[in-house]
Amino acid sequence: MRTQVVIIGAGPAGLALGRLLEQAGVDAIILERKSANYVLGRIRAGVLEWGSVELLDRAGAGARMHAEGLVHHGTALSFDGDRMHIDFTDLVGKQVMVYGQTEVTRDLMDIRQGTTVYEAEDVQLHDFDGKPWVSYSKDGTTHRIDCDFIAGCDGYHGVSRASLPASAVSTFERVYPFGWLGVLVDKPPVDPELIYAHHERGFALCSQRSPTRSRYYVQVAADEKVEAWSDTRFWDELRRRLDPQTAERIETGESIEKSIAPLRSFVAEPLRFGRLFLAGDAAHIVPPTGAKGLNLALSDVALLGSALIEALQDGSAAGIDTYSVRALERIWKAERFSWWMTSLLHVFPETGDFGRRIQRAEFDYLMGSRAARQSLAENYVGLP
Ligand code: APR
Ligand code: PHB
């Protein structure tokens, strides 16, 4: 078999790239290790920068997002119960769209016309420095696909980055000593906007998926077990970390999903190895605090998509030659912002009294300074 681009991974990065290529008439096959239902079962973040909204529109995948997504004009931050409003529209004239990653993935799957091989086992990358090809097995048969380019969109644990010689990649990493325990519940959100809360017991987040479905998180120790958290314990802990008015208004209920996610900052450099390119979580991880993971994945593939189209259709290497440098510039800015939001809002084992006073001073500075709030808003809605 032969195609122009083999895309490894059918997460949002792989599916969006596949769509951008097929719109331009470039032939691509996606190889995904799991089933479509498994991919759709993963609950992840749900805030889209406006650039991501526009990309999904261009991809022809925006209809349901505009019908069901919730446009947010701002967000709330709270520190030991004191609340502050960050008004994106007033500060930077932009908004975000609250629409779950699961829904983005479903919409991209629904419009895809090209081939996606689900449950492709033992995917292996070959000769990506020369004439690339990819092998995989399905139902006991091994297949070979020859191609011009390989796009590694297979997430942090994928095979693409793992196939590179260690000497070819530099990695930069920070593992945080805590995780987020998340609960999904079919109850209306406590507030029209998201609330990011710092409390001496730890961080908490009130998020949402729809007018009738909410997503809440609390910071927990990295080695915490989800089994140790009954719904009652979760709701009690969440309420303790919020301002009293919000705590009182929360509508609790039986959780429909509950899981713990570790927090990590990670970047691999470079993103190009001959005819292999990395994009999305395969190349970088951000802690979820700034809601940047999905957005970065989409901005990577916007760059990579046009670079591959240029290379295949115009014979110009300009895009593929500069992809890594251009994508990394944006990636590091999002890494910085996610790290900063995480540092401001979480309790670290080493924070101590001095550290908490500094966090409080940072919060007070934001409250008192339009310039500081503008910087937060500019990053949150997404840099160009
Ligand atoms: N072979 C084929 N597919 C693979 C392999 C493999 N060896 N390893 C992983 N995959 C698949 C995974 O099953 C997954 O469906 O690659 C896909 C990667 O998808 P994501 O992890 O969702 O990564 P990405 O598409 O880059 O999206 C980034 O996901 O984790 C969030 O915060 C992150 O929102 C961001 C988004
Ligand atoms: C979510 O709704 O899951 C969510 C929202 C905002 C974040 C992180 C997660 O910063």
Side-chain angles (χ1 to χ4, degrees):
M1 219 184 326
R2 197 190 145 79
T3 189
Q4 289 176 291
V5 182
V6 172
I7 300 172
I8 316 210
L15 287 165
L17 180 62
R19 180 62 186 169
L20 295 174
L21 295 179
E22 85 186 2
Q23 280 182 310
V26 170
D27 200 43
I29 295 178
I30 304 183
L31 300 178
E32 165 60 50
R33 182 169 57 176
K34 303 285 187 184
S35 68
N37 279 334
Y38 182 96
V39 171
L40 288 172
R42 292 192 289 234
I43 307 293
R44 281 162 171 184
V47 179
L48 295 174
E49 297 173 356
W50 214 256
S52 299
V53 170
E54 288 168 351
L55 177 79
L56 292 168
D57 280 337
R58 278 203 302 282
R64 201 162 63 94
M65 167 182 72
H66 286 289
E68 297 176 16
L70 306 164
V71 176
H72 279 205
H73 294 263
T75 189
L77 259 56
S78 98
F79 199 104
D80 289 349
D82 296 332
R83 250 178 98 151
M84 146 172 58
H85 184 233
I86 308 286
D87 187 330
F88 303 146
T89 306
D90 171 48
L91 292 163
V92 291
K94 289 188 186 159
Q95 296 77 34
V96 295
M97 175 79 84
V98 171
Y99 188 62
Q101 176 170 326
T102 312
E103 308 310 320
V104 172
T105 308
R106 187 189 301 278
D107 295 344
L108 287 166
M109 276 182 184
D110 284 352
I111 53 164
R112 178 159 174 77
Q113 287 157 2
T115 306
T116 309
V117 181
Y118 287 99
E119 296 173 310
E121 287 166 42
D122 192 24
V123 170
Q124 289 182 31
L125 292 67
H126 309 271
D127 294 348
F128 46 78
D129 261 335
K131 281 187 166 26
W133 56 285
V134 177
S135 60
Y136 67 97
S137 56
K138 169 99 184 168
D139 304 326
T141 312
T142 302
H143 302 266
R144 170 184 176 134
I145 312 177
D146 292 279
C147 56
D148 297 307
F149 296 107
I150 304 173
C153 300
D154 46 352
Y156 182 68
H157 299 287
V159 63
S160 302
R161 200 182 67 249
S163 306
L164 297 164
S167 61
V169 206
S170 303
T171 58
F172 304 85
E173 184 169 44
R174 165 123 206 224
V175 178
Y176 300 87
F178 42 73
W180 281 15
L181 168 63
V183 156
L184 194 64
V185 63
D186 273 329
K187 290 286 177 187
V190 64
D191 202 85
E193 293 178 348
L194 271 60
I195 305 173
Y196 289 87
H198 175 115
H199 187 271
E200 61 183 350
R201 295 180 65 87
F203 169 77
L205 171 61
C206 305
S207 183
Q208 52 192 267
R209 290 289 179 274
S210 76
T212 56
R213 182 169 283 189
S214 305
R215 180 75 165 157
Y216 295 102
Y217 296 95
V218 294
Q219 173 187 349
V220 295
D223 57 359
E224 195 67 46
K225 294 278 172 286
V226 70
E227 297 75 39
W229 287 82
S230 65
D231 287 354
T232 311
R233 181 176 175 205
F234 179 85
W235 295 120
D236 287 347
E237 188 58 39
L238 176 67
R239 276 191 289 242
R240 277 196 204 111
R241 298 184 187 188
L242 302 172
D243 63 279
Q245 292 85 336
T246 308
E248 201 174 301
R249 282 202 327 270
I250 284 208
E251 288 192 47
T252 63
E254 198 185 323
S255 62
I256 52 174
E257 196 265 357
K258 195 190 283 159
S259 53
I260 295 180
L263 267 71
R264 181 192 301 273
S265 297
F266 171 85
V267 182
E269 292 184 355
L271 304 180
R272 178 190 180 180
F273 308 87
R275 294 182 159 258
L276 164 66
F277 299 85
L278 301 180
D281 276 16
H284 44 74
I285 297 286
V286 286
T289 324
K292 290 287 164 237
L294 171 58
N295 293 296
L296 267 190
L298 293 177
S299 59
D300 286 355
V301 301
L303 283 175
L304 182 55
S306 39
L308 293 174
I309 293 164
E310 259 175 59
L312 288 162
Q313 295 188 336
D314 312 333
S316 159
I320 56 173
D321 284 348
T322 54
Y323 164 70
S324 182
V325 168
R326 286 183 300 147
L328 281 165
E329 199 180 309
R330 194 170 192 283
I331 289 162
W332 274 111
K333 287 178 186 161
E335 290 284 344
R336 183 207 70 84
F337 177 66
S338 307
W339 161 85
W340 175 80
M341 282 274 279
T342 303
S343 307
L344 170 65
L345 294 168
H346 291 75
V347 174
F348 291 70
E350 71 275 14
T351 298
D353 292 343
F354 178 81
R356 280 211 85 230
R357 286 289 202 281
I358 294 289
Q359 288 174 318
R360 178 73 214 197
E362 181 101 45
F363 183 83
D364 290 342
Y365 173 55
L366 281 165
M367 283 236 265
S369 163
R370 182 178 169 88
R373 284 196 304 282
Q374 210 160 23
S375 163
L376 193 166
E378 183 181 36
N379 280 278
Y380 195 93
V381 304
L383 296 171

